[in-house]
Amino acid sequence: MAESYVEHEVSHPALQHHFENLEQQREAGTLGMWVFLVTEIMFFGGMFLAYTLYRSKFPAAFAIASNHLDIKLGAINTAVLIFSSFTMAMAVYNTQVGKRRAQIISLVLTIVLGLGFLGIKAVEYYQKYEDHLIPGSLIPGNPFNPDPHEMHLTPGGSMQHVQMFYWIYFAMTGMHALHMIIGVGLLSFLLYFSVKGRYSPEYHNPVEVIGLYWHFVDIVWIFLFPLLYLLGRHTGGH
Amino acid sequence: MSEHIVPVKVYISIFLALMVGTAVTVLAAFQNFPGALNVIVAMTIAVVKATLVVLYFMHVRYSARLIWVIVASALFWMGILFALTFSDYWTRCWLGCT
Amino acid sequence: MEEFIPPLPSRINYINAEYGLKSWLLTRDHKRIALLYLGSITFFFFIGGVYAMLIRLELLTPQGDLLQSTTYNKVFTQHGIIMVFFFLIPSIPATLGNFLVPMMIGAKDLAFPRINLLSWYIYMLGGGVTIYALLAGGVDTGWTFYTPFSTTFSNSYVVATGLGIFINGFSSILTGLNFIVTIHTMRAPGMTWFRLPLFIWAHYATSLVMILGTPVIAITILLLAFERLAHIGIFDPAVGGDPVLFQHLFWFYSHPAVYIMILPSMGVVSELIANFSRKNIFGYSFVAFSSLAIAVFGFLVWGHHLFVSSQSLYAGMIFSFLSFAVAVPSAIKVFNWTATLYKGSISFDTPMLYALGFIGLFTIGGMTGLFLATLGVNVHVTDTYFIVAHFHYIMVGGAIFGYLGGLHYWWPKISGRMYPDGWGRFSALLIFAGFNLTFFPQFVAGYLGMPRRYHAYPPEFQVFNVLSTAGASILAVGYLIPAVYLVWSMRYGKVAPGNPWHLPGLEWRTQSPPPTENFDYTPVVTWEAYEFAPPEEMEVVGKYHDQTAEKV
Amino acid sequence: MQTPWIPFIPPSASTLSGKVDALYFYLVGVTIFFTLMISGVLTFFVIKYRRRNPYEIPRPVAGSLKLETMWSVIPFIIAMTMFAWGAQVFFQQWRPPTNAVEIYVVGKQWMWKIQHTTGQREINELHVPVGRKIKLIMTTEDVIHDFFIPAFRIKADVVPGRYTTLWFEATKPGRYHLFCAEYCGTNHSGMIGSVVALEPTEFDNWLGGNSSQQSPAVAGKQMYETLGCVSCHGAAGEGGRGPALEGIFGKQVVLNNGQSINADEAYIRESIVNPQAKLVTGFGPIMPTFQGQVSEEQLLQILAFIKSLQIETSQPAGRAASPVTAPSPAPASAASPAAANR
Ligand code: HEA
Ligand code: HEA
Ligand code: CUA
Ligand SMILES: [Cu+2]
């Protein structure tokens, strides 16, 4: 039981008082984000479960409903999001190697692509609104009431289950979009501090951590796209 | 635990692979594969894409073992949620449905 | 025994470091945040307790004469919701855990102090929304919110209450996240995983459950709220959904949540048993790993709440089997605690009385859990008072006993004052007696068939209900006494030395109350957990160690 | 209560209740054993090793792998005995015997509506004969309820949109509690009633005294006609624009996606309220949904009618393959739907 104490290092301005050094702070930040992403996975997991259950119960209705989604916009959006993930990765890279300008450009691009994704999503939502495909009375005054003929309601599908598909669709893409909006907010925050020159090769944990979040949101979409837009296409894509 | 800087080349190849994956999954969706194969193909491609993002964009390939454990446990718990819920739904009719 | 500690000039601690409301409301000090939580959960406990007394008074007579049936339904629902989500889940982690996790591992604070403060605000916001819902008209779905009653048929404030619980969930997630990261990255030099006090292991396991389970209840409640508002649904059979899916998702969280409630308490009891018998815990690694095992296996058994819900018979068997498996780690703990006492030097301070009470009552509560996990018996006793008795034995007799024991044990550290020991022991015994009188008769009433959530009941059950209500009155008094003397002691209690019990834990090797950064220097740990030594050898590892907190 | 009052045990009045009680006593025994053992050892240690001197530091005791294994394995084994026994009783509770008399139960906020196959209706009361196996086919019109008869040690949720079953064989005549055990709203505690178990002869008298009512199958036939099912499925279910319904109950039906499915209660119910969900091969999606037009009770009646169709069909093969729904042993065969069919 010897008496020994660990002295503080000379500290970096970004070092918070309760950490010993930047390395520890970085480790904590990254670990924190990963743990948070685990909660996100479970959060979406509940919806994926509901989706899987009902698709297996009502395959025909889900195929019909899914065929009515705009596959072009969906695919474009997937590309947009993957691209934004790439620019995000580049933002981290440029910070790590200390290229300020390239770092700012990558962040701006990521934000623009993120907004682009949200814009396209909004167009899609609007189409669904026009087709009266918003389930239940989510939008008061515009209840779920698609034209059955439009829907090509084929043998084995029931309108009720089509509506259920759309509820799951809106719940999942809506939650995803919410995460995108939060992500764009976080990126703007990063951009602001990048312009002020806060991040450097020694200290860039926020860029990294927000990058992790952004990639996670991308991954969710990588699953949503085939599940919502693609499965059931082969039964007769309209 | 000094950090690993991934070269730009790797990022670009991953990006391209993801784009190709997207194209393939769209094309595959219109093919009429037998049985449940459509689902399997679509999900396999999605899993591959997600793995690429996790390993390279999210740097897990170069990260501490703890991060691997975290990623694995998230998947494991999703697995629990699915497996045990479906243990109910799939066996409901074993005794004849009512 | 204070001779060992040379009196030093009184100095600044976390309480008197800064003054003013603002310094509290904007604090990032985990110890102050713990006190903020302590105040708020006590408030919610008393609200929940008043509801409990209303339940008990109503059930004094078989006719529903005191409250109307709608009111009664709201009362037990709100009792359950407040006690579970706003009292018991945050109780130990957010107060004792918040205060002690950094101190026990030799850190200056939690990894994310701002997030820690945020979690308190989220808790208060969630609590505020819930209180609003209660005042606006209340909610009558039962704390389980089963659909389609909650989505379609109830006309009470389901959405607002759900929102409160949803918000509150994030506070729990953030606390868990903070603990996990802190325990991983901020242990003092020499504090290896197997030198961690068992309290830390328990909190680590609890945090795992918090981050893995809570998001699922969050999304479930959110979907429920939307389904109610928009008349759509994956849970509502009228529009093609399956109400049993809701039950799966609800219990996927809420069963593990019962381990959020009990694991921290088990952690406290491990500390108490070891420290008040001055023994290293018997089978340290078994106790540590059983916490993790409970956290992991706890996720595999949720379907035992669905045995009669029309769930598949085979799923029922799987869940029953796994429920029995999860009982084994609990058994390991109970036996190791008992064995720890062997050849110890056992004192009977108030915290130890609570710990001993815990072991006994938890055993009864846990064993009756096995009744419920036994399929054939479950069919008869589910949704009767047998269940009510089971979970109160664990949640009140177990979890709250652990909480009160811990609160007394660390009170000198938290407040810098001693509580009156005589009163402490007296109220511990009173609570023990009142508790058993309240809930034991409910086992009997339950097996006789008295259903739960009944506002009026057939007269033959009255005798058990009278006993129960009598017990609850004793219990209420028993809870009031500590509330009074603890508050009293903050001002008038004997000043506590840094290490009043002469214990080896890091939290005792600094002054009471601790300074803002806990230790003046980062301590270096060279001893094992629960390595007892003569007091003069268990030296202080922070620089100063004074005996007297400054009197305000 | 007519049964003798055994302390702390509700009246035991079904073939199952003794089995549940035996298991329960086993559990009580194990619990008492462990509780006494632990509190006994605890008390002993606490007294024996109480602190005698404030300075004493006991010697640390190392753990013992042997002990740890012992107290993990033994409780596990004990737990497995509970599991196995419990599962065995559960199977008996859950698997209805094939030759049981069916009774329909519909839960509704806040009452139980019961109908016997012979037509007698009851509310919040259920008359059953002693010594005969009874199977309840249950559903609900609104929220989840739970049919609980403590004296028989059985209960099961009734779930909207589904059919659940319970079975029992009463052993002692008497009047027993019937509770709703799943919280269902304002008057949950008022959703109670009684189960009256009668000696078979008394029961037959009771049935006879109440025989003016239509049997569910007859009522179902009327529904079948007024709802216009006849126009597609034919007057006696012989088929037309829609598939034949004769003898379909309990048989495999081939769907248009090539799968085949057992035509049980749930399937027939779904075919009526949501006909598009599963289409019989060779037929288009022309059957309209009847959701909202028929109550759960009426659905059960139509179901009874469709079931009854197979009694008269000359295809015993179809019946043999099905979980046989034997004709009710009750005497009121005059009200049998078959007769009405002719
Ligand atoms: C802190 C809370 C807590 C804890 C820790 C537990 C622990 C356990 N619970 Fe409990 N439970 C609740 C809170 C809790 N429960 C609540 C709130 C409900 C009702 C919810 C509602 O519907 O409102 C409930 C309901 C409930 C049910 C559902 C009943 C129903 O609705 O039909 C079941 C069924 O299996 C169950 C089982 C168990 C088991 C097996 C354990 C085990 O973990 C217990 C393990 C402990 C021991 C076994 C004791 C120690 C061991 C020994 C002394 C050695 C001897 C051991 C052996 C021989 C194995 N509980
Ligand atoms: C942590 C969880 C927790 C705690 C601590 C308690 C504590 C208590 N509970 Fe609770 N209870 C639940 C969780 C909890 N309960 C849950 C989840 C349910 C299920 C709800 C549902 O069905 O949806 C339930 C249901 C429940 C019922 C069943 C209701 C029903 O099914 O109809 C009953 C009945 O006796 C009951 C009683 C009590 C009593 C007497 C206490 C006592 O221990 C409380 C004692 C405390 C005080 C009394 C407060 C302190 C003293 C004062 C404030 C002084 C002032 C007092 C007076 C004016 C008298 N509870
Ligand atoms: Cu019906 Cu409770
Ligand atoms: Cu449980």
Side-chain angles (χ1 to χ4, degrees):
Chain A
M1 299 202 183
E3 269 194 37
S4 53
Y5 307 116
V6 175
E7 296 288 338
H8 261 180
E9 293 173 21
V10 186
S11 58
H12 186 279
L15 178 66
Q16 289 173 307
H17 76 99
H18 59 294
F19 288 114
E20 294 297 330
N21 52 41
L22 271 181
E23 178 61 26
Q24 191 190 30
Q25 182 170 338
R26 194 181 87 93
E27 213 185 305
T30 311
L31 184 60
M33 182 45 90
W34 274 106
V35 172
F36 180 70
L37 293 185
V38 171
T39 71
E40 290 280 26
I41 291 177
M42 297 311 290
F43 185 80
F44 280 97
M47 288 187 286
F48 277 107
L49 178 76
Y51 169 89
T52 315
L53 177 64
Y54 290 116
R55 178 177 277 278
S56 68
K57 270 190 162 178
F58 316 122
F62 269 46
I64 293 161
S66 154
N67 285 351
H68 207 74
L69 293 178
D70 194 326
I71 191 168
K72 272 198 216 79
L73 291 183
I76 292 174
N77 246 352
T78 312
V80 169
L81 208 53
I82 290 178
F83 193 34
S84 83
S85 236
F86 171 68
T87 56
M88 186 70 232
M90 289 310 294
V92 175
Y93 171 80
N94 286 317
T95 322
Q96 281 173 334
V97 298
K99 293 190 187 153
R100 274 278 305 289
R101 241 179 81 84
Q103 175 206 346
I104 292 173
I105 294 174
S106 324
L107 283 176
V108 170
L109 269 177
T110 315
I111 294 179
V112 169
L113 289 165
L115 290 175
F117 177 94
L118 287 169
I120 296 175
K121 198 79 237 162
V123 172
E124 279 193 79
Y125 277 7
Y126 187 70
Q127 286 177 356
K128 300 291 159 294
Y129 171 79
E130 297 221 297
D131 293 347
H132 305 281
L133 280 172
I134 312 251
S137 50
L138 260 187
I139 308 276
N142 186 29
F144 183 82
N145 185 22
D147 182 346
H149 191 67
E150 272 272 295
M151 290 304 296
H152 304 279
L153 205 57
T154 44
S158 114
M159 207 41 113
Q160 210 176 51
H161 301 153
V162 170
Q163 167 169 317
M164 181 177 300
F165 175 87
Y166 277 100
W167 167 222
I168 295 178
Y169 165 81
F170 275 103
M172 296 185 91
T173 57
M175 273 301 146
H176 179 260
L178 183 68
H179 280 77
M180 292 287 294
I181 293 170
I182 294 171
V184 169
L186 292 172
L187 286 171
S188 316
F189 157 94
L190 277 188
L191 183 62
Y192 173 78
F193 284 110
S194 299
V195 171
K196 291 189 102 181
R198 190 193 243 186
Y199 306 121
S200 62
E202 297 84 63
Y203 174 68
H204 53 263
N205 196 234
V207 187
E208 229 178 284
V209 159
I210 291 172
L212 289 179
Y213 174 84
W214 190 258
H215 296 308
F216 167 78
V217 178
D218 184 21
I219 291 178
V220 172
W221 184 260
I222 286 179
F223 283 99
L224 287 184
F225 174 59
L227 289 178
L228 296 174
Y229 289 77
L230 298 182
L231 293 188
R233 283 289 158 180
H234 63 283
T235 58
H238 298 281
Chain B
M1 277 222 298
S2 73
E3 62 182 332
H4 182 277
I5 298 183
V6 185
V8 181
K9 257 202 334 240
V10 174
Y11 285 137
I12 294 180
S13 359
I14 297 300
F15 169 64
L16 293 176
L18 291 174
M19 285 302 194
V20 171
T22 309
V24 172
T25 190
V26 172
L27 292 180
F30 288 95
Q31 311 306 314
N32 199 349
F33 297 124
L37 210 58
N38 274 80
V39 181
I40 295 172
V41 169
M43 283 300 97
T44 312
I45 297 175
V47 168
V48 170
K49 283 164 74 183
T51 313
L52 289 179
V53 175
V54 170
L55 287 184
Y56 293 96
F57 283 179
M58 297 170 93
H59 302 165
V60 167
R61 186 150 169 221
Y62 314 102
S63 302
R65 216 178 51 216
L66 180 59
I67 305 291
W68 286 83
V69 173
I70 290 179
V71 175
S73 57
L75 298 178
F76 178 69
W77 257 269
M78 275 277 274
I80 294 179
L81 174 60
F82 273 68
L84 284 177
T85 308
F86 280 100
S87 82
D88 173 13
Y89 287 97
W90 283 344
T91 60
R92 277 196 190 174
C93 287
W94 283 11
L95 269 186
C97 271
T98 37
Chain C
M1 285 181 291
E2 278 95 42
E3 309 86 76
F4 296 113
I5 301 139
L8 286 165
S10 58
R11 58 190 288 268
I12 300 205
N13 61 48
Y14 79 102
I15 296 175
N16 62 17
E18 277 180 289
Y19 288 100
L21 196 60
K22 211 174 127 209
S23 79
W24 281 90
L25 292 182
L26 295 181
T27 181
R28 290 181 213 153
D29 184 341
H30 65 104
K31 299 182 286 305
R32 285 186 159 211
I33 297 171
L35 286 193
L36 293 177
Y37 261 119
L38 181 63
S40 6
I41 66 159
T42 308
F43 170 74
F44 279 105
F45 175 68
F46 279 98
I47 296 188
V50 169
Y51 282 129
M53 289 317 290
L54 286 173
I55 295 178
R56 283 315 333 157
L57 289 176
E58 164 62 63
L59 295 179
L60 199 53
T61 55
Q63 315 80 13
D65 38 15
L66 178 70
L67 305 169
Q68 288 188 318
S69 57
T70 35
T71 318
Y72 178 80
N73 295 343
K74 287 177 181 167
V75 165
F76 74 70
T77 302
Q78 292 158 9
H79 165 69
I81 288 176
I82 289 197
M83 284 298 199
V84 168
F85 293 108
F86 295 97
F87 169 65
L88 200 51
I89 286 181
S91 64
I92 296 183
T95 57
L96 299 177
N98 227 333
F99 198 98
L100 291 156
V101 166
M103 296 196 61
M104 285 183 157
I105 65 173
K108 296 198 191 92
D109 205 322
L110 287 172
F112 308 112
R114 261 177 298 191
I115 288 182
N116 195 18
L117 179 63
L118 179 67
S119 88
W120 181 70
Y121 277 102
I122 293 177
Y123 171 79
M124 292 308 278
L125 181 66
V129 172
T130 306
I131 297 271
Y132 157 78
L134 305 192
L135 294 179
V139 58
D140 71 347
T141 57
W143 81 282
T144 46
F145 290 101
Y146 276 14
T147 56
F149 181 69
S150 59
T151 45
T152 320
F153 290 86
S154 164
N155 39 33
S156 60
Y157 286 73
V158 180
V159 174
T161 318
L163 191 67
I165 292 172
F166 175 79
I167 296 174
N168 181 47
F170 287 94
S171 114
S172 181
I173 291 177
L174 294 179
T175 306
L177 188 153
N178 227 333
F179 284 173
I180 291 187
V181 175
T182 307
I183 295 172
H184 267 288
T185 60
M186 310 213 13
R187 279 169 288 124
M191 183 52 98
T192 58
W193 281 90
F194 290 99
R195 283 179 176 169
L196 289 174
L198 290 162
F199 183 80
I200 301 290
W201 278 99
H203 273 75
Y204 187 78
T206 309
S207 307
L208 285 180
V209 184
M210 284 174 162
I211 62 158
L212 288 160
T214 319
V216 177
I217 190 82
I219 186 65
T220 310
I221 296 272
L222 200 63
L223 291 176
L224 177 102
F226 271 110
E227 303 208 358
R228 185 175 166 86
L229 290 172
H231 307 294
I232 34 180
I234 57 174
F235 300 141
D236 184 353
V239 287
D242 181 354
V244 181
L245 177 64
F246 174 83
Q247 301 177 17
H248 277 295
L249 286 170
F250 179 85
W251 290 113
F252 179 84
Y253 165 75
S254 295
H255 179 80
V258 308
Y259 297 117
I260 298 181
M261 308 178 214
I262 201 69
L263 276 169
S265 221
M266 291 170 155
V268 172
V269 170
S270 300
E271 295 294 311
L272 299 180
I273 293 287
N275 286 325
F276 285 96
S277 57
R278 293 204 181 145
K279 277 280 302 297
N280 62 328
I281 202 97
F282 193 89
Y284 171 95
S285 54
F286 285 88
V287 180
F289 280 117
S290 62
S291 291
L292 291 183
I294 290 175
V296 174
F297 286 116
F299 276 94
L300 303 175
V301 307
W302 78 81
H304 66 207
H305 297 269
L306 279 69
F307 287 153
V308 301
S309 72
S310 80
Q311 171 183 255
S312 142
L313 180 123
Y314 298 95
M317 286 185 52
I318 296 174
F319 283 120
S320 167
F321 172 78
L322 292 167
S323 304
F324 283 109
V326 79
V328 173
S330 300
I332 294 179
K333 279 185 194 282
V334 169
F335 292 128
N336 278 304
W337 289 326
T338 313
T340 301
L341 297 176
Y342 176 67
K343 292 200 172 165
S345 161
I346 299 162
S347 80
F348 295 98
D349 294 293
T350 312
M352 188 62 169
L353 296 184
Y354 279 111
L356 295 173
F358 174 101
I359 297 181
L361 300 180
F362 175 75
T363 300
I364 298 179
M367 292 300 297
T368 52
L370 299 181
F371 285 55
L372 297 172
T374 305
L375 289 156
V377 171
N378 178 284
V379 170
H380 177 60
V381 293
T382 184
D383 277 318
T384 66
Y385 264 79
F386 193 92
I387 290 196
V388 176
H390 155 66
F391 66 71
H392 284 93
Y393 258 81
I394 293 197
M395 303 208 291
V396 182
I400 294 192
F401 270 55
Y403 171 65
L404 288 177
L407 196 62
H408 283 87
Y409 171 50
W410 283 295
W411 190 251
K413 185 54 66 183
I414 294 172
S415 69
R417 304 287 181 144
M418 301 302 290
Y419 56 84
D421 199 49
W423 280 106
R425 288 184 219 198
F426 171 69
S427 59
L429 293 177
L430 196 64
I431 290 175
F432 185 82
F435 170 80
N436 282 298
L437 185 55
T438 311
F439 294 107
F440 197 83
Q442 297 185 354
F443 282 123
V444 180
Y447 198 76
L448 284 173
M450 177 168 169
R452 66 190 281 205
R453 296 171 172 175
Y454 262 31
H455 154 252
Y457 54 88
E460 74 242 39
F461 299 122
Q462 188 176 12
V463 48
F464 305 104
N465 282 289
V466 171
L467 290 175
S468 191
T469 303
S473 318
I474 299 177
L475 196 52
V477 177
Y479 283 131
L480 272 180
I481 299 174
V484 171
Y485 69 68
L486 288 181
V487 172
W488 174 88
S489 76
M490 283 198 282
R491 215 186 158 90
Y492 304 104
K494 207 163 66 123
V495 170
N499 193 352
W501 322 106
H502 306 297
L503 299 175
L506 262 183
E507 79 272 28
W508 299 111
R509 303 196 181 208
T510 182
Q511 60 172 5
S512 297
T516 300
E517 291 200 336
N518 299 342
F519 306 95
D520 293 293
Y521 287 94
T522 305
V524 174
V525 182
T526 54
W527 60 91
E528 302 302 315
Y530 314 111
E531 187 177 311
F532 289 83
E536 65 277 15
E537 275 178 40
M538 289 191 291
E539 69 209 284
V540 175
V541 290
K543 191 167 149 200
Y544 294 105
H545 184 272
D546 64 350
Q547 202 177 6
T548 45
E550 194 176 17
K551 254 201 181 130
V552 188
Chain D
M1 207 146 294
Q2 285 145 9
T3 43
W5 191 77
I6 310 161
F8 307 139
I9 292 296
S12 164
S14 80
T15 50
L16 283 170
S17 46
K19 297 178 182 164
V20 175
D21 287 346
L23 179 52
Y24 176 74
F25 285 130
Y26 171 60
L27 293 169
V28 171
V30 176
T31 304
I32 292 180
F33 172 75
F34 275 103
T35 310
L36 287 186
M37 183 183 89
I38 286 167
S39 47
V41 174
L42 219 57
T43 317
F44 175 72
F45 282 173
V46 157
I47 293 171
K48 174 123 193 261
Y49 302 115
R50 66 184 179 279
R51 186 169 301 168
R52 290 152 204 269
N53 149 7
Y55 294 95
E56 73 188 2
I57 308 258
R59 212 147 10 100
V61 172
S64 147
L65 194 61
K66 225 201 259 154
L67 277 177
E68 301 286 351
T69 323
M70 195 185 82
W71 61 49
S72 317
V73 171
I74 294 178
F76 183 75
I77 292 173
I78 298 177
M80 283 305 110
T81 62
M82 297 172 179
F83 166 69
W85 190 348
Q88 189 235 344
V89 174
F90 189 62
F91 260 82
Q92 294 175 11
Q93 284 162 324
W94 241 225
R95 260 158 77 167
T98 47
N99 57 345
V101 181
E102 289 181 1
I103 297 178
Y104 298 111
V105 175
V106 176
K108 178 180 180 310
Q109 280 178 330
W110 291 277
M111 58 165 97
W112 293 106
K113 296 191 284 190
I114 289 154
Q115 187 166 21
H116 297 257
T117 36
T118 43
Q120 289 75 9
R121 290 160 174 280
E122 306 182 64
I123 288 190
N124 292 344
E125 274 214 345
L126 170 61
H127 284 78
V128 291
V130 164
R132 268 185 224 157
K133 298 186 171 66
I134 310 282
K135 175 179 169 188
L136 307 178
I137 297 180
M138 313 187 293
T139 189
T140 160
E141 281 178 19
D142 36 51
V143 302
I144 302 176
H145 304 274
D146 187 298
F147 201 83
F148 176 28
I149 311 170
F152 297 169
R153 313 286 188 273
I154 51 165
K155 72 159 75 71
D157 279 10
V158 295
V159 183
R162 305 258 311 263
Y163 291 114
T164 51
T165 56
L166 265 185
W167 83 273
F168 58 84
E169 181 182 334
T171 51
K172 262 187 230 149
R175 176 177 279 273
Y176 308 109
H177 284 300
L178 161 61
F179 292 127
C180 173
E182 183 63 62
Y183 175 67
C184 56
T186 309
N187 207 13
H188 164 60
S189 59
M191 195 165 163
I192 58 178
S194 32
V195 174
V196 186
L198 301 170
E199 293 293 355
T201 47
E202 278 179 64
F203 179 73
D204 290 344
N205 283 342
W206 177 83
L207 275 185
N210 289 274
S211 65
S212 58
Q213 284 139 319
Q214 263 179 338
S215 82
V218 172
K221 180 169 168 55
Q222 274 170 14
M223 293 299 303
Y224 184 79
E225 280 154 6
T226 49
L227 287 170
C229 319
V230 266
S231 61
C232 299
H233 292 286
E238 70 277 4
R241 279 200 291 158
L245 300 180
E246 280 177 323
I248 135 172
F249 182 79
K251 281 214 295 200
Q252 294 295 115
V253 173
V254 182
L255 303 181
N256 69 342
N257 60 5
Q259 287 172 335
S260 62
I261 189 168
N262 183 25
D264 59 7
E265 285 98 347
Y267 168 76
I268 291 183
R269 180 183 186 282
E270 189 188 38
S271 297
I272 300 169
V273 294
N274 196 357
Q276 315 282 297
K278 295 191 183 87
L279 290 188
V280 180
T281 180
F283 291 90
I286 55 167
M287 175 166 161
T289 171
F290 289 86
Q291 185 157 44
Q293 298 175 41
V294 279
S295 68
E296 290 294 340
E297 260 178 296
Q298 291 166 332
L299 275 171
L300 277 170
Q301 289 164 350
I302 297 175
L303 191 66
F305 168 64
I306 292 178
K307 279 186 185 173
S308 76
L309 286 175
Q310 70 179 356
I311 298 172
E312 283 303 300
T313 48
S314 48
Q315 294 155 343
R319 247 196 292 163
S322 64
V324 184
T325 325
S328 133
S333 64
S336 133
N341 255 348
R342 288 289 136 80

